[in-house]
Amino acid sequence: MRLLIVTQQLGIVGGVETYLQSLLPRLSAAGFEIGVLAEHSTTSQNGILAACPNAPQWIINTKPPTRHMADLEKWRPEVVYSHGLGDAGFEASLAVRFPTVLYTHNYHGTCISGTKCHSFPKPLPCGRSLGPGCLVRYLPRRCGGLNPVTALRMYQRERQRQHSFSQFRAVLVASRHMFGEVVENGIPPERLHLVPLFPPASTPDPLPPAQRSFTNRILFVGRLTALKGWSHLLDAIPRVAAELDRSLTLVVAGDGPDRTVCEKECRRRGISAEFLGWIGSDRREAEMRAADILAVPSVWPEPFGLVGIEAGCLGLPSVGYAVGGIPDWLEPGVSGESAPGERPDSRELSAAIVRAIADPDHWQRLRVGAWETAKRFSPEAHMDPLIPILEAAARS
């Protein structure tokens, strides 16, 4: 069966591309003949087609979309597996012409800025469905940038995507939160499928984590931006240290626009911190094995939050706010501890961290629970529902 993968990038620039790089050889082994339509090419040999180098590919920005459509008509894909394009019109045209399944990795067609979060007067998750009211609130609530022309253009693009939902044979999401989000924006539940992601580069350890002593290291992995909640974590750590009477070290594996101010705040508050910048997979695994908890203090509703599964593979429990897709893998008392997410409060986050690491026996149970939870999010658990969905779309 000829399967056309539609995506923005051939190179590895984020989670979508890492997912496709891992998925495509599995689809090929399952009997699919793979082709790829992407908006942007790459000079790297380690792109999404690293394991399928002979697959035909079409790069959108090399010629008009109508020419690409004619080429695709000749190749005759039996089903299209789309992961979103910047050109919402061309994306909709493909869905009209070919049976198409959409995997919505983010707030595709449900939010103007894609953050699903207000930033003023403080960051708060947004529960609205996309509509004219979003455009009215966009600037006052600081949902994104401050240019009204850009806001209007983005709104029109996302409304076009929202209206295009009806053209897809099926829509796939990674979390229960995203399932509800897409239903609220017009997709009938019978056309929607919950197909959780898997960590492409991580597999659970063969044995559950052995008991060990606390290292008093709290690990944060990701971009340093306000929506990732680093300021909440800095508020929480001194409270936790005082309540437990321990010296704690914050380890930051990542970078971002807020790194400088985050470093200054750590020095001002007397927080012991190590800023590692972006690190490779081996170093990140070593830091996960050395930490007591993974802090996921995001104040925006993460569509899924794959880093928690990656940590769980190594027996590292997580602590964070119960927002977005995080509750799908962060179960309080099982794989970590969580704080209420509707109105994130650093005092609640402090209490969750204390619950996680105050008692060594409870912490050990969380370590084993995180490892067992991660085993549920396997490539096989992803492929088992995906293949029948693609085959059913082709038959339709």
Side-chain angles (χ1 to χ4, degrees):
M1 179 181 294
R2 285 183 299 281
L3 170 65
L4 179 68
I5 302 294
V6 174
T7 188
Q8 293 191 34
Q9 302 283 347
L10 279 185
I12 306 298
V13 299
V16 174
E17 294 78 31
T18 305
Y19 160 75
L20 289 174
Q21 184 185 55
S22 178
L23 180 73
L24 296 191
R26 290 183 165 91
L27 289 172
S28 180
F32 288 92
E33 180 184 350
I34 303 294
V36 174
L37 173 72
E39 286 181 314
H40 305 288
S41 184
T42 181
T43 57
S44 171
Q45 298 299 311
N46 193 36
I48 66 173
L49 287 171
C52 305
N54 297 321
Q57 53 186 271
W58 296 268
I59 307 302
I60 294 175
N61 62 10
T62 59
K63 56 186 177 183
T66 53
R67 295 272 300 280
H68 287 297
M69 193 68 80
D71 291 342
L72 294 174
E73 293 276 4
K74 295 176 183 177
W75 194 64
R76 297 172 60 193
E78 293 165 83
V79 63
V80 173
Y81 188 26
S82 177
H83 298 271
L85 292 175
D87 186 340
F90 189 37
E91 182 179 56
S93 298
L94 286 167
V96 169
R97 177 59 191 89
F98 304 106
T100 301
V101 173
L102 171 70
Y103 200 113
T104 178
H105 295 264
N106 48 40
Y107 293 103
H108 180 111
T110 69
C111 175
I112 300 176
S113 66
T115 65
K116 205 66 184 178
C117 188
H118 305 305
S119 294
F120 184 82
K122 62 181 181 178
L124 286 175
C126 172
R128 296 184 60 85
S129 56
L130 182 64
C134 297
L135 194 58
V136 172
R137 291 168 174 80
Y138 184 86
L139 295 177
R141 298 302 303 273
R142 303 292 194 272
C143 299
L146 297 178
N147 187 322
V149 176
T150 301
L152 178 59
R153 184 173 66 248
M154 292 168 63
Y155 173 75
Q156 292 170 335
R157 180 189 65 191
E158 296 309 316
R159 285 287 276 179
Q160 183 177 12
R161 286 175 169 162
Q162 184 187 45
H163 294 315
S164 298
F165 276 148
S166 62
Q167 304 295 339
F168 296 104
R169 299 297 199 277
V171 176
L172 279 52
V173 294
S175 65
R176 292 171 295 173
H177 165 76
M178 289 303 297
F179 192 102
E181 181 72 20
V182 177
V183 167
E184 284 292 318
N185 282 273
I187 278 286
E190 61 270 16
R191 206 182 302 175
L192 189 58
H193 303 268
L194 176 58
V195 184
L197 295 169
F198 60 93
S202 302
T203 55
D205 286 342
L207 297 174
Q211 287 192 333
R212 66 167 174 81
S213 300
F214 289 117
T215 62
N216 297 320
R217 293 170 72 83
I218 296 175
L219 178 64
F220 173 95
V221 177
R223 291 193 78 226
L224 285 166
T225 65
L227 295 185
K228 287 292 187 178
W230 63 265
S231 63
H232 287 239
L233 184 57
L234 265 54
D235 285 343
I237 287 176
R239 294 194 190 103
V240 175
E243 184 160 347
L244 299 180
D245 193 22
R246 296 184 201 164
S247 296
L248 301 175
T249 297
L250 171 63
V251 181
V252 178
D255 211 330
D258 290 359
R259 175 171 174 170
T260 300
V261 66
C262 183
E263 290 180 335
K264 289 180 179 178
E265 278 297 296
C266 284
R267 290 192 295 268
R268 185 180 71 82
R269 298 169 187 240
I271 296 173
S272 173
E274 300 174 10
F275 287 82
L276 308 180
W278 294 115
I279 55 179
S281 57
D282 291 344
R283 177 67 186 279
R284 185 167 70 164
E285 178 179 325
E287 294 296 338
M288 286 182 171
R289 292 191 185 280
D292 291 340
I293 59 166
L294 175 74
V296 191
S298 294
V299 294
W300 80 295
E302 301 264 6
F304 186 64
L306 196 60
V307 67
I309 305 298
E310 295 170 340
C313 287
L314 308 176
L316 178 63
S318 299
V319 174
Y321 291 116
V323 293
I326 289 175
D328 280 28
W329 50 264
L330 177 50
E331 183 178 352
V334 177
S335 58
E337 297 290 352
S338 65
E342 296 82 3
R343 292 185 173 274
D345 186 325
S346 62
R347 291 168 296 184
E348 298 279 5
L349 183 65
S350 304
I353 296 174
V354 169
R355 289 196 301 272
I357 61 174
D359 177 68
D361 292 334
H362 178 65
W363 173 64
Q364 176 63 20
R365 288 192 293 271
L366 294 182
R367 295 178 69 216
V368 175
W371 175 76
E372 291 176 337
T373 298
K375 292 194 290 184
R376 301 203 317 259
F377 297 89
S378 66
E380 294 75 22
H382 182 82
M383 295 288 288
D384 285 349
L386 174 62
I387 290 176
I389 291 169
L390 294 174
E391 292 174 340
R395 288 194 301 269
S396 70

